[in-house]
Amino acid sequence: MPKGSGSSCSAAVKESRSVVRKMLARTQHEGVGAIVRRSIGGFELRHFDPFLALDEFSVTAPAGFPDHPHRGFETVTYMLQGAVRHEDFEGHRGTIEAGDLQWMTAGRGIVHSEMPAEEGTQKGLQLWINLSSKHKMIEPRYQEMPSSDIPEAEEDGVKVRVIAGESLGAKSSVYTRTPTMYLDFTLQPDSYLQQPIPSHWNAFVYVLEGKGVFGSARSPPVGAHHLLLLSPGGDGLVAWNKSPKLLRFVLVGGQPLGESVAQLGPFVMNTDEEIDQTVEDFANFMNGFEKARHWRSEAAEGFGF
């Protein structure tokens, strides 16, 4: 049992992972006028297998992410505030509102747009998860879940929303082609958490609100917009909220692919030759990008992009 005051919840963790690296996600411009805090996928941390990018985004119309392509990975969009309207060249469209989830498998190719759906500032997280070489050219697919359908559980001052994986007896129905856990925790003051993590997976914490202590009760508290890479091994994570305010963070883990990564912006393959082929496919509307030839999103038309 970890040392520290307060009530605990979830299965006991015999050996907690420790924090081996802490990074502040600094703001940068992305898309058209949008602001993101990029922790994974930036110059400080290029990749964290199987994760390619993590953005905490903030966008106010007319800024946004107009028509752009993807190939070879998955994007996971989790809205925190406001709403984003999504549409793609297959005719798939919808609105992702606060608390909603969209898990998009780009596979062999998608061209889509993500634009503000209402006035004010829209905020959320977008995680990029790599696909193995055998899955990079599969057909695109979506898994979408409104906030009301995301499993939740609460115990001893700890609340979790289970985006992928399992926690506190709640389990997500999301299928993760690259095995992944994605948990949104809120800890009341003077509470702590024990959350199992498969020992061979890579895992990280991203703090959204408040200050938390992670891995060891003697560790210094860490505040919002920090990414914490967790050590390998260990059977889970222990986290404490020793502050008088709420602590909210996401815990994300995934099974490493152990494959080479070749990336050019929104295209992620295994070799430079595959990237060259992807660029050719996109430029010539081939091999998954055929419908991009005559498609333009309604959002792009409306905002004049």
Side-chain angles (χ1 to χ4, degrees):
M1 181 70 66
K3 296 178 180 179
S5 63
S7 58
S8 69
C9 75
S10 85
V13 171
K14 295 179 181 178
E15 181 185 355
S16 178
R17 296 188 181 209
S18 60
V19 176
V20 294
R21 187 173 178 185
K22 179 178 75 170
M23 297 169 45
L24 175 64
R26 303 184 188 280
T27 57
Q28 65 183 67
H29 291 280
E30 191 68 23
V32 177
I35 297 174
V36 304
R37 290 181 177 269
R38 179 165 297 164
S39 46
I40 302 173
F43 67 92
E44 289 187 76
L45 181 63
R46 188 62 176 153
H47 306 124
F48 186 50
D49 191 14
F51 307 111
L52 302 166
L54 177 66
D55 285 350
E56 180 185 2
F57 62 86
S58 178
V59 57
T60 303
F65 306 95
D67 307 2
H68 60 281
H70 293 294
R71 173 182 276 181
F73 61 100
E74 298 182 301
T75 68
V76 182
T77 304
Y78 181 46
M79 290 301 298
L80 302 174
Q81 173 184 307
V84 166
R85 182 172 295 110
H86 167 270
E87 54 182 312
D88 72 17
F89 68 177
E90 293 282 355
H92 185 93
R93 65 182 63 194
T95 301
I96 315 169
E97 300 181 341
D100 291 356
L101 168 70
Q102 182 195 75
W103 198 293
M104 184 185 80
T105 302
R108 67 199 301 257
I110 278 284
V111 178
H112 73 158
S113 70
E114 300 153 296
M115 299 296 293
E118 54 189 50
E119 295 182 358
T121 300
Q122 331 302 316
K123 295 183 179 181
L125 296 175
Q126 188 169 93
L127 176 70
W128 291 13
I129 306 174
N130 202 6
L131 289 169
S132 65
S133 57
K134 65 182 178 181
H135 292 141
K136 284 189 176 295
M137 294 296 286
I138 62 175
E139 291 297 322
R141 66 175 298 215
Y142 290 89
Q143 298 176 84
E144 295 174 314
M145 192 173 293
S147 180
S148 59
D149 288 348
I150 293 179
E152 295 185 359
E154 192 165 358
E155 181 180 315
D156 295 334
V158 175
K159 179 181 177 180
V160 63
R161 308 190 81 229
V162 184
I163 298 164
E166 186 173 1
S167 180
L168 302 186
K171 187 174 183 179
S172 172
S173 62
V174 169
Y175 173 68
T176 60
R177 197 171 294 276
T178 299
T180 304
M181 60 185 293
Y182 191 150
L183 307 173
D184 175 5
F185 285 108
T186 301
L187 274 63
Q188 296 289 335
D190 199 33
S191 64
Y192 68 90
L193 163 77
Q194 300 182 77
Q195 173 61 43
I197 304 170
S199 60
H200 58 290
W201 286 16
N202 284 333
F204 67 84
V205 165
Y206 188 78
V207 182
L208 294 170
E209 179 184 350
K211 292 184 178 181
V213 175
F214 300 91
S216 168
R218 296 183 297 273
S219 298
V222 180
H225 314 304
H226 279 90
L227 178 84
L228 308 177
L229 299 187
L230 303 180
S231 63
D235 61 344
L237 173 70
V238 181
W240 292 260
N241 182 3
K242 299 183 179 183
S243 78
K245 298 181 179 180
L246 287 178
L247 165 65
R248 186 181 183 189
F249 63 91
V250 294
L251 170 61
V252 181
Q255 181 175 303
L257 297 175
E259 297 182 355
S260 59
V261 176
Q263 181 173 0
L264 180 65
F267 303 138
V268 183
M269 303 299 288
N270 294 104
T271 68
D272 290 339
E273 290 76 17
E274 290 171 338
I275 289 293
D276 291 342
Q277 183 62 56
T278 297
V279 171
E280 183 177 341
D281 289 346
F282 181 60
N284 293 292
F285 311 107
M286 307 185 315
N287 297 326
F289 292 112
E290 288 84 354
K291 293 183 180 180
R293 181 186 297 272
H294 302 295
W295 181 79
R296 194 175 183 209
S297 69
E298 290 183 5
E301 297 281 357
F303 284 108
F305 293 117

